Amino acid sequence: MRIALLQADPTVGDLAGNAARLLALVHQAVEAGASVAVSTELGITGYPPRDLLMSPEFVRAAYEKARSIDPAIPTLVGTPVPGQDDDTAPANGVLGVGEGLRGKVVALKQLLPTYDVFDEARYFRPGSRPGLVRGAGGLDLGITVCEDAWQAAGLTPMDYGVDPVAQLATFVRQDATLSATVNLSASPFHQSKVHDRVTVARTAAERLGMPFLLANQVGGNDDLVFDGSSVAAWPDGTVVLAPAWSEGVLTVDLDDPAACVWTPSAAADALHLGSNEVRVLDPGESPRSQNSAEDLADAVVTGLADYCRKSGLQRIVLGLSGGIDSAVAACVAAEALGPSAVHGLALPSRHSSQHSRDDARWTATSLGMRFSELHLDALHAPAEGLLDEVLRTGHAVAGENLQARLRALLVMGHANAEGAMAIATGNKSELAQGYCTLYGDMAGGYAPLGDLWKMDVYALAEVFNARAEARGQPAPVNASTMTKPPSAELAPDQVDEDTLPPYPVLDRILRAHIEEGLDHDAIVARGEDATVVADVLARMGRNEHKRWQMPPAPRVSVRAFGQGWRMPLAGRHDWRD
Amino acid sequence: MRIALLQADPTVGDLAGNAARLLALVHQAVEAGASVAVSTELGITGYPPRDLLMSPEFVRAAYEKARSIDPAIPTLVGTPVPGQDDDTAPANGVLGVGEGLRGKVVALKQLLPTYDVFDEARYFRPGSRPGLVRGAGGLDLGITVCEDAWQAAGLTPMDYGVDPVAQLATFVRQDATLSATVNLSASPFHQSKVHDRVTVARTAAERLGMPFLLANQVGGNDDLVFDGSSVAAWPDGTVVLAPAWSEGVLTVDLDDPAACVWTPSAAADALHLGSNEVRVLDPGESPRSQNSAEDLADAVVTGLADYCRKSGLQRIVLGLSGGIDSAVAACVAAEALGPSAVHGLALPSRHSSQHSRDDARWTATSLGMRFSELHLDALHAPAEGLLDEVLRTGHAVAGENLQARLRALLVMGHANAEGAMAIATGNKSELAQGYCTLYGDMAGGYAPLGDLWKMDVYALAEVFNARAEARGQPAPVNASTMTKPPSAELAPDQVDEDTLPPYPVLDRILRAHIEEGLDHDAIVARGEDATVVADVLARMGRNEHKRWQMPPAPRVSVRAFGQGWRMPLAGRHDWRD
């Protein structure tokens, strides 16, 4: 028996488009010999629909659209399920459509994650029993929705007091007709996520004594990026892993892991990055064989590509300083939209070095994107003239920011004139320190590197260089860009280390604080210098205002339960006294 | 017997400061003859603490700080109550401190609002029974926390299936020793909120057959504004209403409504706007006697004043165009921080009319604030020169935005140099239509008019003019500013009505859509022109990106359950096909 996992890339809110996408994937599943198909969580709305779910009209429209799907084989579709009236919250459910299922609700999600990027208790009422469908393509299947399966593996941040996998196991002991249990997921990417997802699937398969099949969403929606990597696990620990960063169908042969087939989506706009191959893991084998930086590169490219496609944006403009961040951002944009859709602007000022100008031009030329150079002097001098008095008497930062804002003015002028989106090129390390200019280099509709630490940006430069060389093209990030001391070049001979600790140190401290939640003393106990840690944390507090005005960035380096960008809006005062 | 309602203006996260503020208010309550004091909801942390509550260390610190308060009379303090371990969510509770209470938890909030601006299911586990304290200053009291009392009045957007007021009423029938029931609230302002709050208090007093006393937070925290207006109601419908927009203590004599006393806070930085008088309402008398525009003016002044004070901002810079929005924003800033802390910049371009320049100068001069005029030409021409090619060949909006961004550059230059915050002057009507420039007139750390419809801005101009005249000063908003056709002055002879419908029409359509959730057909059924409605809604969709990059604004015109600025982040596609 073959079950197809529809690893789709839906667009939040595009009910008709998502339904059409699901039907097309079911068609491919039929050709691959599947007798049942399973969508991802909330496959009809895309995940996360957020406050769209506050509209009863939207919930009803989604539910009716899901019910209207008429697939060639029985299919389980993730959909919001309306409450009994408009005052009752919907459930996060699963609908059976196609032969023998006829639009019946077969599962309601029980565990509603409400932490980090999740807010499901805001939107949904929980289900109260395990999902189940009988006679779907001749099979009886257990059904879980995403978080439902994570409690059993101990990978949720709290104990829900309910374990849907254990409930199903009890049920199986009483009535042994189930062939497999499926899971409809929308499980966002972070760097160790594939490992966790495989652990969840193996744990559930072992507890249930049957294959456990998890269909995960792929692609980007707003600031969330999903890697796909749908997974099937058997009770002995054998695992079949679908590719990451690609839309398609994993057709799982319940009796033969080696016979599982990956069919890439035939949609014209389908996402296809990465290896595009199924991997079979032996019992006990870890899934962490891929290069982590390759994965990060695919994540940020996916995020930007889907953000643009789903928002109807076809062109990108960015400033190229000759530094590592804008060079890597240009690589991301060129891979996401194709180099001909990207326009790089070098905007040197009197403080810019010749090597920076050369490096900027090199990156654009190597990538094959459009390149322009406009010298800032013609604007810089009159702006300083107009602001002469305050620049002489006020804080020095005003003059430094002036250059960054003049550049933003020119980037946005090009973006507006060309109907393109400007992207911001900052990374998470400098943004967390406020080492950036509001309405200057922070300007842009999207910040592709905004959730990457500075050291990750260096690693991505290596990835994009290697990819270019593998295509027989010149490496877009010059060796000099990689090795020169990072500098904002906003004042003569300025380097970042005048203000910040060296990036390897800064990244260690920020990761400990943001990803692990450690405070000053705990970080110092790891061997960091107490003054440096105090300075870093103080800069974080002072720059909260800036962080909240950041354009969206794909979430890629946030570990499970980490705070990421969702820093408290309030809390300007230290509460530890 | 006298119970003091501590109508405090806490700062989110400032545990030590909030505890000191509470103690000082208790001291004033003792002087007013109170034998028990009641804080607002989460009085120790301030409301809303948002994701600070995700930190178990913060929750423990808050709880311990609340327990450490040692007041002269028994006091009920709102505080998060830690779960049994770090994996268990805290409760939104009430602690008894002072004589006879000794740090015991006496209530846990049962109804956790999770809609519109509220997200309490994200943070808290609910309580399961009504709160109660015995022997507090000789009294037994029922205790509820904010939303707990709203179900009984039918003023929640959903049926929680639990009614803490009904639970208390049952308890009272069994054990009639309660003298009163209190409610610790943090209930944000909107235009009909006082009416709702009085209805809640009257309903509870009637159902319980005893006085019902509600202590409400006052002041601004981030984007929420609280009006105070604490209330005491008796079973016969008599009501005592504390002033809005003022910190202080309402000491309620349970036996004599006419003997209730308002004591303004003696803190040096205390908020004191509005009438500062207690009002006594007869049974059946409506609380809506205040001028609604006066209330809105106080709300936006409070929002900006507290945002600055709590963020440590002491100076404001803004651009003055000579139009109604920037004139009213200047009035708000001058009233919030005092005119000497505000710097108005007129930044005329070649498209600016002489009357606009005159009006800008008039506003600044009348208010007594610092005023500078810098002509944009010196920058405008070189910027157009640098962008010459794209301005000639690209979308016309690029040229219009250029001026707005040059102005932002100069405003931010002054703000950075002077250590001030720039404020954005846009209103909700134009922002909802995208009739504004990203990184241009939208730049600023705070948008005081960002939640006001355009017609509200006109009403506020009248209020500030009347206030100035009452002080014997010239009216800051010129008659010509009020009567001339609104214009962005970004192109020759441009007026807003070239692009937008007349503001009275636009506001009606936007209110119907945003506040009431009506769609195109429902709005047309009210008599609006179908094409106009379609255009307005289409502009809303296209400008979602801009709305999400808005600086915070006080929430003032959002009606209960309205969406306000919390529009869905996703949903770029129409889901109604």
Side-chain angles (χ1 to χ4, degrees):
Chain A
M1 296 302 293
R2 288 165 175 259
I3 299 178
L5 304 179
L6 311 177
Q7 181 169 302
D9 180 10
T11 297
V12 165
D14 181 15
L15 303 179
N18 297 339
R21 233 168 165 89
L22 281 176
L23 263 179
L25 291 175
V26 169
H27 184 72
Q28 295 189 265
V30 172
E31 294 195 336
S35 49
V36 188
V38 181
S39 92
T40 57
E41 180 180 13
L42 295 178
I44 193 68
T45 65
Y47 196 95
R50 294 192 171 134
D51 272 17
L52 282 174
L53 293 166
M54 290 292 192
S55 158
E57 292 81 18
F58 175 76
V59 169
R60 274 195 297 272
Y63 181 71
E64 292 305 328
K65 179 60 78 178
R67 274 171 60 99
S68 75
I69 295 176
D70 186 16
I73 52 174
T75 300
L76 305 181
V77 180
T79 177
V81 177
Q84 60 190 17
D85 54 44
D86 285 357
D87 289 348
T88 307
N92 182 342
V94 181
L95 203 67
V97 292
E99 194 189 333
L101 301 183
R102 307 234 157 266
K104 209 177 115 191
V105 174
V106 291
L108 302 181
K109 188 176 188 178
Q110 295 189 71
L111 307 189
L112 300 175
T114 307
Y115 52 85
D116 199 67
V117 302
F118 304 109
D119 253 318
E120 296 194 18
R122 181 174 174 88
Y123 305 116
F124 297 118
R125 66 191 150 93
S128 56
R129 55 186 180 186
L132 188 69
V133 63
R134 291 188 192 271
L139 301 177
D140 292 353
L141 301 174
I143 306 171
T144 53
V145 182
C146 207
E147 192 89 343
D148 284 346
W150 288 67
Q151 172 82 46
L155 288 172
T156 59
M158 75 283 284
D159 185 343
Y160 286 93
V162 172
D163 179 358
V165 170
Q167 293 171 340
L168 275 170
T170 302
F171 178 80
V172 167
R173 284 194 290 276
Q174 296 161 352
D175 174 348
T177 67
L178 296 189
S179 302
T181 290
V182 299
N183 181 283
L184 292 76
S185 278
S187 169
F189 172 73
H190 63 72
Q191 280 183 275
S192 69
K193 196 61 166 285
V194 158
H195 186 273
D196 291 347
R197 201 176 294 127
V198 166
T199 301
V200 163
R202 278 179 168 148
T203 303
E206 189 197 341
R207 299 269 170 91
L208 292 164
M210 68 180 74
F212 182 87
L213 284 62
L214 183 158
N216 191 33
Q217 180 171 310
V218 70
N221 273 314
D222 300 313
D223 60 343
L224 294 187
V225 179
F226 301 83
D227 55 330
S229 305
S230 296
V231 58
W234 281 260
D236 70 350
T238 302
V239 160
V240 170
L241 199 55
W245 317 118
S246 186
E247 187 179 54
V249 180
L250 181 67
T251 305
V252 177
D253 188 316
L254 294 183
D255 302 318
D256 184 3
C260 295
V261 177
W262 171 254
T263 312
S265 166
D269 58 359
L271 182 71
H272 292 303
L273 286 175
S275 71
N276 227 354
E277 283 172 12
V278 169
R279 285 192 291 158
V280 180
L281 306 180
D282 292 330
E285 185 183 348
S286 161
R288 296 304 308 158
S289 54
Q290 278 188 293
N291 177 316
S292 163
E294 291 272 356
D295 232 20
L296 274 187
D298 288 342
V300 296
V301 170
T302 295
L304 181 59
D306 265 5
Y307 189 86
C308 290
R309 178 171 70 80
K310 295 175 181 181
S311 306
L313 300 161
Q314 288 161 341
R315 304 188 53 76
I316 281 178
V317 173
L318 80 164
L320 290 176
S321 70
I324 184 87
D325 295 314
S326 59
V328 172
C331 294
V332 173
E335 196 163 317
L337 297 198
S340 63
V342 186
H343 188 177
L345 297 177
L347 303 163
S349 79
R350 70 178 81 111
H351 301 306
S352 303
S353 58
Q354 186 59 44
H355 68 76
S356 289
R357 297 174 62 175
D358 295 343
D359 287 344
R361 184 180 297 272
W362 171 261
T363 294
T365 310
S366 309
L367 289 169
M369 63 201 265
R370 194 169 152 209
F371 177 74
S372 309
E373 186 179 271
L374 303 177
H375 205 287
L376 221 57
D377 265 357
L379 261 180
H380 200 173
E384 288 177 318
L386 264 179
L387 289 169
D388 179 50
E389 190 194 328
V390 290
L391 291 181
R392 273 189 293 107
T393 59
H395 295 297
V397 72
E400 298 185 14
N401 283 343
L402 184 60
Q403 295 167 70
R405 293 194 179 113
L406 287 169
R407 291 193 174 106
L409 185 90
L410 298 172
V411 169
M412 289 303 297
H414 278 81
N416 287 165
E418 297 170 10
M421 175 173 74
I423 59 173
T425 62
N427 62 71
K428 185 168 179 165
S429 306
E430 64 183 30
L431 291 167
Q433 294 289 283
Y435 197 72
C436 48
T437 299
L438 194 59
Y439 319 129
D441 56 314
M442 290 171 74
Y446 195 86
L449 312 183
D451 202 21
L452 294 180
W453 305 110
K454 182 75 170 189
M455 301 313 294
D456 291 330
V457 177
Y458 281 102
L460 257 60
E462 310 262 13
V463 169
F464 287 113
N465 277 352
R467 288 182 182 180
E469 282 162 6
R471 291 190 300 260
Q473 293 166 344
V477 189
N478 241 340
S480 65
T481 305
M482 312 262 263
T483 53
K484 67 188 173 192
S487 167
E489 293 194 333
L490 294 176
D493 301 320
Q494 181 186 46
V495 293
D496 294 5
E497 286 191 21
D498 295 344
T499 306
L500 304 176
Y503 281 110
V505 176
L506 177 61
D507 282 6
R508 276 201 314 268
I509 296 170
L510 290 173
R511 294 183 83 130
H513 184 63
I514 295 177
E515 297 184 352
E516 299 181 65
L518 301 185
D519 66 9
H520 175 274
D521 293 351
I523 300 171
V524 172
R526 288 192 174 176
E528 305 293 350
D529 181 85
T531 308
V532 171
V533 175
D535 288 348
V536 167
L537 299 188
R539 274 190 296 267
M540 284 199 68
R542 276 206 303 276
N543 291 290
E544 174 208 334
H545 170 63
K546 292 189 177 179
R547 274 181 280 127
W548 275 91
Q549 300 216 352
M550 272 298 299
R555 289 171 182 271
V556 293
S557 71
V558 179
R559 293 178 58 84
F561 324 145
Q563 291 186 299
W565 286 105
R566 195 173 287 227
M567 312 300 281
L569 178 58
R572 297 193 177 80
H573 292 255
D574 191 343
W575 44 268
R576 288 187 190 79
D577 56 347
Chain B
M1 295 300 295
R2 289 166 173 257
I3 300 179
L5 304 179
L6 310 176
Q7 182 168 303
D9 180 9
T11 297
V12 165
D14 181 15
L15 303 179
N18 297 339
R21 235 171 162 86
L22 282 176
L23 263 180
L25 291 175
V26 169
H27 184 72
Q28 295 190 264
V30 172
E31 293 195 337
S35 50
V36 188
V38 181
S39 92
T40 57
E41 180 180 14
L42 295 177
I44 194 68
T45 65
Y47 196 95
R50 296 195 169 130
D51 272 17
L52 282 174
L53 293 166
M54 290 292 193
S55 159
E57 291 81 18
F58 175 76
V59 169
R60 274 194 298 272
Y63 181 71
E64 292 306 328
K65 180 60 77 179
R67 276 172 59 99
S68 75
I69 293 176
D70 186 17
I73 53 174
T75 300
L76 305 180
V77 180
T79 176
V81 177
Q84 59 190 17
D85 55 43
D86 284 356
D87 289 348
T88 307
N92 182 342
V94 181
L95 203 67
V97 292
E99 193 189 334
L101 302 183
R102 307 237 158 262
K104 208 177 115 191
V105 175
V106 291
L108 302 181
K109 188 176 187 179
Q110 296 190 70
L111 308 188
L112 301 174
T114 306
Y115 52 85
D116 199 66
V117 302
F118 304 110
D119 253 318
E120 296 193 19
R122 181 175 174 90
Y123 304 116
F124 296 118
R125 64 191 153 92
S128 55
R129 56 185 180 188
L132 189 68
V133 63
R134 291 188 193 272
L139 300 177
D140 293 354
L141 300 173
I143 306 171
T144 54
V145 182
C146 207
E147 193 89 341
D148 284 345
W150 288 65
Q151 172 82 48
L155 288 172
T156 60
M158 76 283 283
D159 185 345
Y160 286 93
V162 173
D163 179 357
V165 170
Q167 292 171 342
L168 276 171
T170 303
F171 178 80
V172 168
R173 283 194 291 275
Q174 295 161 355
D175 175 348
T177 67
L178 296 189
S179 303
T181 290
V182 298
N183 181 283
L184 292 76
S185 279
S187 170
F189 170 73
H190 63 72
Q191 280 183 274
S192 69
K193 196 62 165 284
V194 158
H195 186 273
D196 292 348
R197 200 175 297 127
V198 165
T199 302
V200 163
R202 279 180 167 147
T203 303
E206 188 197 341
R207 298 270 170 90
L208 293 164
M210 67 180 75
F212 183 87
L213 284 63
L214 184 158
N216 191 34
Q217 181 172 308
V218 70
N221 272 313
D222 300 313
D223 60 344
L224 294 187
V225 180
F226 301 83
D227 54 330
S229 305
S230 297
V231 57
W234 280 259
D236 70 351
T238 302
V239 161
V240 171
L241 199 55
W245 316 119
S246 187
E247 188 179 52
V249 179
L250 180 67
T251 304
V252 177
D253 188 314
L254 294 182
D255 302 317
D256 183 4
C260 296
V261 177
W262 172 254
T263 313
S265 166
D269 59 359
L271 183 71
H272 291 303
L273 286 174
S275 71
N276 228 354
E277 283 172 12
V278 170
R279 286 191 291 157
V280 179
L281 307 179
D282 292 331
E285 184 183 349
S286 161
R288 296 305 309 155
S289 54
Q290 279 190 293
N291 178 317
S292 164
E294 292 272 355
D295 231 20
L296 274 186
D298 288 341
V300 296
V301 170
T302 295
L304 181 59
D306 265 4
Y307 189 87
C308 290
R309 177 172 69 82
K310 295 176 181 182
S311 306
L313 300 160
Q314 287 161 342
R315 305 187 53 76
I316 281 178
V317 173
L318 80 164
L320 290 176
S321 69
I324 184 88
D325 295 313
S326 58
V328 172
C331 294
V332 173
E335 195 163 318
L337 297 198
S340 63
V342 186
H343 188 176
L345 297 176
L347 304 162
S349 78
R350 70 179 80 111
H351 302 306
S352 302
S353 58
Q354 185 60 43
H355 68 76
S356 290
R357 297 174 62 175
D358 295 342
D359 287 344
R361 183 180 298 272
W362 172 261
T363 294
T365 310
S366 309
L367 289 169
M369 62 200 266
R370 195 171 151 208
F371 178 73
S372 309
E373 186 179 271
L374 303 177
H375 205 286
L376 220 56
D377 266 356
L379 260 181
H380 200 175
E384 287 178 317
L386 264 180
L387 289 169
D388 179 50
E389 190 194 328
V390 290
L391 291 181
R392 274 188 293 105
T393 59
H395 296 296
V397 72
E400 297 185 14
N401 284 343
L402 184 59
Q403 294 166 69
R405 293 194 180 113
L406 287 169
R407 291 193 173 105
L409 185 91
L410 297 173
V411 169
M412 290 303 297
H414 278 80
N416 288 165
E418 298 170 10
M421 175 173 74
I423 59 172
T425 61
N427 63 69
K428 186 168 178 165
S429 306
E430 64 182 29
L431 292 167
Q433 294 289 281
Y435 198 72
C436 47
T437 299
L438 193 60
Y439 319 129
D441 56 314
M442 291 170 73
Y446 194 88
L449 312 184
D451 202 20
L452 294 181
W453 305 111
K454 182 75 171 188
M455 301 313 294
D456 291 331
V457 177
Y458 281 102
L460 257 59
E462 310 261 14
V463 169
F464 288 114
N465 277 353
R467 288 184 183 181
E469 284 163 4
R471 291 190 300 260
Q473 294 166 343
V477 188
N478 240 341
S480 64
T481 305
M482 311 263 264
T483 53
K484 67 189 173 192
S487 167
E489 293 194 332
L490 294 175
D493 300 322
Q494 181 186 46
V495 292
D496 294 4
E497 286 193 22
D498 296 343
T499 306
L500 304 176
Y503 281 110
V505 177
L506 177 62
D507 282 5
R508 276 203 313 269
I509 296 171
L510 289 173
R511 293 183 85 130
H513 184 64
I514 295 177
E515 297 184 353
E516 299 182 66
L518 301 186
D519 65 9
H520 175 273
D521 293 351
I523 299 171
V524 172
R526 288 192 173 175
E528 305 294 349
D529 180 84
T531 308
V532 171
V533 175
D535 288 348
V536 167
L537 298 188
R539 273 191 296 267
M540 284 199 69
R542 276 205 302 277
N543 292 290
E544 175 208 332
H545 170 63
K546 292 188 179 180
R547 273 181 281 126
W548 274 90
Q549 299 216 352
M550 272 298 299
R555 289 170 182 271
V556 293
S557 71
V558 179
R559 293 177 58 82
F561 324 145
Q563 292 185 299
W565 286 105
R566 193 173 289 224
M567 312 299 283
L569 179 57
R572 297 192 177 82
H573 293 255
D574 190 345
W575 45 266
R576 289 188 188 80
D577 58 348

